[in-house]
C-alpha cells in the first residue's frame, strides 16, 4: 500500500484545515453570534413586557370602571337631596356616602400603584429597546468584519480545494475514503507516524499485537484517537 500520495494530500490539506479552523474560531464571528443572542434575548424580554403592560392596562380599566360606579352612586345620592328624608335615612345615606368615598380612596390608591407599575414596565421597555439597538449595531459591525475575514482567504481556499481535487485522483480510494471520513470528524492530522511504540497523534502506547499488525498491514487505526497510524 502506497501512502506517499495521501501524505502529500494531507500536507496540502493542512493549510486548508488551518484556514477553516481560523474561520471557525474567528473572533468577529463569535462576537456576532453573541450579539445575535443578545438581540434575541432583548426581543423575548420586550414581548414579555408587552404582555405585562397589556394585562396592566386591563387592570387599570377595571379599576377605572369600579371608580366610575362608586362615583355615580355618590352623585345619585347627592342629587336626590335629603329634604324628604327622615333623620334616620339621612344618617344612613351619610354613612353610605362615607363608605363609598372610602372605596374611592382605595381605588385611587390602586390606580396609583398600577400607574407606578406601568412606569416601571415602560422604563424597562426603553432600556430593552436600547440594548436591542446597541446589539444590532454591534452585530452588523462584527458580521461585516467576519465577511471581510472570509473574503480575505476565499481565493486561497478555492485554489487549495481545486489542487486537492486534482491530487485526490492519485490517492488510493480506500485511503482517501478513510481520510475524508475522519476529516469530517474534525480530526487533524489524520495520518500519523508511529513514534516508538506510540501513536504519533495522541502518544498513547500501542499494544504489541497492534504493532505486529502494523508491520503486516502498514496502517492501523488508533483505538484511542482514531487517527491512522503508519510505519515508514
Ligand atoms: Zn492515537
Amino acid at each position: 500500500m502506497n501512502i506517499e500520495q495521501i501524505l502529500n494530500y494531507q500536507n496540502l490539506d493542512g493549510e486548508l484545515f488551518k484556514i477553516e479552523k481560523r474561520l471557525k474560531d474567528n473572533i468577529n464571528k463569535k462576537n456576532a453570534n453573541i450579539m445575535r443572542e443578545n438581540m434575541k434575548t432583548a426581543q423575548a424580554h420586550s414581548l414579555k413586557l408587552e404582555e405585562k403592560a397589556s394585562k396592566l392596562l386591563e387592570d387599570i380599566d377595571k379599576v377605572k370602571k369600579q371608580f366610575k360606579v362608586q362615583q355615580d352612586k355618590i352623585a345619585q345620592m347627592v342629587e336626590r337631596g335629603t329634604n324628604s328624608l327622615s333623620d334616620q335615612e339621612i344618617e344612613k345615606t351619610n354613612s353610605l356616602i362615607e363608605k363609598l368615598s372610602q372605596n374611592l380612596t382605595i381605588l385611587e390608591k390602586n390606580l396609583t400603584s398600577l400607574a407606578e407599575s406601568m412606569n416601571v414596565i415602560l422604563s424597562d421597555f426603553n432600556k430593552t429597546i436600547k440594548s436591542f439597538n446597541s446589539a444590532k449595531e454591534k452585530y452588523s459591525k462584527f458580521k461585516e468584519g467576519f465577511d471581510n475575514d472570509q473574503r480575505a482567504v476565499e481565493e486561497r481556499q478555492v485554489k487549495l480545494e481545486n489542487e486537492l481535487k486534482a491530487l485526490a485522483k492519485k490517492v488510493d480510494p480506500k485511503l482517501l475514503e478513510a481520510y475524508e471520513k475522519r476529516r469530517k470528524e474534525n480530526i487533524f492530522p489524520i495520518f500519523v507516524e508511529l513514534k516508538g511504540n506510540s501513536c504519533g497523534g495522541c502518544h498513547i502506547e500501542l499494544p504489541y499485537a497492534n504493532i505486529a499488525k502494523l508491520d503486516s498491514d502498514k496502517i492501523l487505526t488508533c483505538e484511542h484517537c482514531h487517527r491512522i497510524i503508519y510505519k515508514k
Side-chain angles (χ1 to χ4, degrees):
M1 187 180 293
N2 181 7
I3 62 160
E4 232 19 74
Q5 293 302 344
I6 190 73
L7 290 181
N8 288 338
Y9 185 90
Q10 172 168 275
N11 202 20
L12 189 62
D13 192 25
E15 195 188 334
L16 188 62
F17 184 82
K18 255 188 224 162
I19 291 174
E20 284 172 3
K21 192 171 181 323
R22 271 204 296 267
L23 286 178
K24 220 178 90 189
D25 298 339
N26 185 285
I27 189 74
N28 283 321
K29 184 183 164 190
K30 279 186 179 166
N31 284 333
N33 283 340
I34 291 171
M35 288 309 136
R36 200 169 40 198
E37 283 309 306
N38 288 353
M39 281 161 72
K40 272 191 207 162
T41 307
Q43 237 166 355
H45 189 59
S46 76
L47 271 181
K48 258 190 202 154
L49 287 176
E50 267 175 48
E51 271 172 36
K52 265 194 196 171
S54 93
K55 214 186 148 286
L56 207 54
L57 280 177
E58 276 172 29
D59 289 347
I60 288 174
D61 209 40
K62 261 186 225 161
V63 175
K64 273 186 178 165
K65 273 180 190 151
Q66 286 169 352
F67 198 86
K68 179 93 175 45
V69 170
Q70 308 285 325
Q71 250 181 345
D72 288 350
K73 275 185 188 168
I74 292 175
Q76 269 170 22
M77 282 181 189
V78 171
E79 205 177 302
R80 234 182 271 149
T82 52
N83 289 341
S84 57
L85 297 178
S86 68
D87 284 352
Q88 211 185 358
E89 281 170 326
I90 291 174
E91 205 179 308
K92 212 175 139 195
T93 307
N94 281 342
S95 96
L96 202 56
I97 288 180
E98 199 180 320
K99 180 102 198 350
L100 290 172
S101 302
Q102 278 169 4
N103 287 351
L104 278 184
T105 312
I106 292 169
L107 290 172
E108 224 175 328
K109 271 188 193 153
N110 284 353
L111 268 183
T112 310
S113 128
L114 288 172
E116 274 165 13
S117 305
M118 190 56 113
N119 278 338
V120 170
I121 289 181
L122 279 178
S123 97
D124 195 356
F125 194 69
N126 283 336
K127 233 171 65 188
T128 307
I129 289 195
K130 259 186 207 159
S131 70
F132 176 85
N133 286 338
S134 142
K136 193 178 168 192
E137 202 179 301
K138 284 179 192 156
Y139 170 80
S140 306
K141 230 174 67 191
F142 288 132
K143 173 81 168 56
E144 198 189 328
F146 178 60
D147 288 346
N148 286 338
D149 293 343
Q150 234 176 349
R151 263 196 299 274
V153 292
E154 205 177 7
E155 202 182 316
R156 183 69 190 144
Q157 247 180 324
V158 172
K159 192 166 181 285
L160 283 169
E161 278 162 4
N162 288 336
E163 281 175 25
L164 283 169
K165 230 181 259 173
L167 200 53
K169 289 174 191 148
K170 297 179 189 164
V171 180
D172 182 324
K174 266 189 185 160
L175 292 180
L176 189 64
E177 193 189 335
Y179 182 94
E180 296 296 356
K181 189 174 157 247
R182 285 159 180 81
R183 177 71 156 83
K184 278 189 193 117
E185 290 164 13
N186 235 1
I187 295 172
F188 205 89
I190 292 157
F191 279 76
V192 291
E193 200 180 345
L194 179 74
K195 290 275 157 74
N197 287 332
S198 303
C199 163
C202 66
H203 308 294
I204 300 270
E205 202 171 314
L206 305 181
Y208 277 110
N210 284 2
I211 294 171
K213 202 165 175 282
L214 188 56
D215 275 330
S216 61
D217 295 354
K218 301 289 180 229
I219 59 166
L220 176 80
T221 297
C222 173
E223 288 167 0
H224 189 70
C225 68
H226 298 119
R227 286 179 167 87
I228 302 168
I229 303 165
Y230 63 90
K231 197 175 170 185
K232 271 197 174 163

